[in-house]
Amino acid sequence: MAQKILIYKEAEFAISYTIIPSAIENAKTLVILHGWGASKNLMEQAFKDTFKDYTHYYIDMPGFGRSKTPPFALTTQDYAEIMRLMLESLHLESLKITIMGHSFGGKVATLLNPQTLILLSSAGIPTKKSLKVRFKIVLAKVLKILPGANYVLRNLLRSKDVQNMDEVMYQTFKNVVDEDFSNLFANFKNPCYIFWGKADLATPLKSGERIHSLIKDSQFFPLEGDHFFFLKTAKEIERLLLKTL
């Protein structure tokens, strides 16, 4: 594990990363980005024994894993720009490499416009909120005008995914959670390989089908499993991708 110090918008970001070199001379490059709430360790656990013709770069995005909480709330575009700076610091150019992104990392990977894009149950296609979630949104708006409502908002209305976040990461979560990347997917022109868990409830299978319909040069591979299907199917992902390539 190593760390890079980057300057973005006049602020310092400490970014943790791991490189697993390939034994192949002149190996290709594979950058792997984790999803929201995860880390490079999870992605390395899944893929470290795959894609031996590639040098692997696993990166903790700001606020996750061993990368420090950002000094201010970020947008997905901010994350992409920070990752672009990170790639430059590693002497990598996104237009010449393969980037794989899971969930939130899929949105960041798409913005980086890599030569080859691999999406794993990517975020970016909004789904209709349940009645329970819509009720919480309305209640939160009402409570904002009432004295002493902060405790209720923080501890009762937030989803389980964000209840223990500090305020910067919570504001970041609100910035990125419901984005519609339909136009960005439609404008992605390079080859894209989309893998999805058939039983995924966080990003439903129909979201993967939608992304596939939007990216013209794409192939879609539904696999057994949930949102973290790749933890058990990494070898199958490798087999299908190398066979296609």
Side-chain angles (χ1 to χ4, degrees):
M1 186 200 76
Q3 188 179 76
K4 292 275 189 181
I5 303 298
L6 307 176
I7 304 298
Y8 176 69
K9 292 185 175 180
E10 301 182 348
E12 186 176 283
F13 290 79
I15 307 297
S16 177
Y17 67 101
T18 298
I19 301 175
I20 300 181
S22 171
I24 306 297
E25 188 175 357
N26 298 320
K28 293 171 282 188
T29 297
L30 175 62
V31 173
I32 303 179
L33 301 179
H34 60 80
W36 186 270
S39 70
K40 63 180 174 58
N41 288 348
L42 181 74
M43 307 310 290
E44 183 180 345
Q45 175 188 334
F47 291 103
K48 64 182 179 181
D49 294 323
T50 64
F51 298 104
K52 297 294 187 179
D53 290 348
Y54 291 78
T55 292
H56 295 200
Y57 291 78
Y58 299 91
I59 303 173
D60 276 335
M61 291 190 283
F64 303 103
R66 294 183 177 273
S67 290
K68 293 182 179 179
T69 299
F72 52 85
L74 302 177
T75 64
T76 306
Q77 186 66 53
D78 288 327
Y79 272 99
E81 292 305 318
I82 293 167
M83 288 300 99
R84 199 182 307 278
L85 290 174
M86 183 65 182
L87 296 180
E88 289 175 2
S89 75
L90 295 168
H91 308 291
L92 300 175
E93 185 179 347
S94 62
L95 289 174
K96 298 180 179 179
I97 64 175
T98 298
I99 303 181
M100 174 190 292
H102 171 236
S103 196
F104 172 65
K107 294 197 299 184
V108 177
T110 302
L111 287 173
L112 289 170
N113 193 35
Q115 182 181 58
T116 304
L117 176 63
I118 304 172
L119 297 178
L120 309 175
S121 283
S122 179
I125 301 296
T127 56
K128 186 176 180 180
K129 294 180 176 64
S130 67
L131 181 61
K132 179 180 178 181
V133 171
R134 281 181 281 162
F135 172 76
K136 281 187 175 183
I137 292 171
V138 172
L139 182 58
K141 290 179 179 178
V142 173
L143 287 173
K144 278 184 178 180
I145 64 174
L146 299 177
N150 284 341
Y151 176 84
V152 178
L153 287 172
R154 181 181 294 273
N155 296 287
L156 299 180
L157 297 182
R158 291 186 182 183
S159 71
K160 292 181 180 179
D161 290 337
V162 299
Q163 278 181 352
N164 296 319
M165 286 182 192
D166 61 34
E167 197 58 31
V168 168
M169 290 307 293
Y170 178 54
Q171 292 301 322
T172 297
F173 177 78
K174 291 200 296 183
N175 288 343
V176 309
V177 66
D178 282 328
E179 293 173 306
D180 188 345
F181 263 47
S182 295
N183 288 337
L184 289 162
F185 290 133
N187 288 320
F188 187 81
K189 306 303 181 185
N190 299 332
C192 177
Y193 302 90
I194 305 165
F195 297 87
W196 221 272
K198 294 179 182 178
D200 193 333
L201 298 179
T203 52
L205 187 64
K206 64 181 180 181
S207 296
E209 295 168 345
R210 175 62 175 160
I211 295 173
H212 175 43
S213 73
L214 291 168
I215 301 179
K216 292 183 179 179
D217 189 2
S218 68
Q219 297 190 48
F220 185 57
F221 304 92
L223 299 176
E224 297 300 325
D226 57 16
H227 194 56
F228 295 93
F229 70 100
F230 58 89
L231 290 172
K232 295 182 178 180
T233 61
K235 286 288 188 180
E236 180 66 3
I237 292 171
E238 177 190 36
R239 186 189 70 80
L240 289 168
L241 186 58
L242 295 183
K243 178 182 177 181
T244 305
L245 294 173

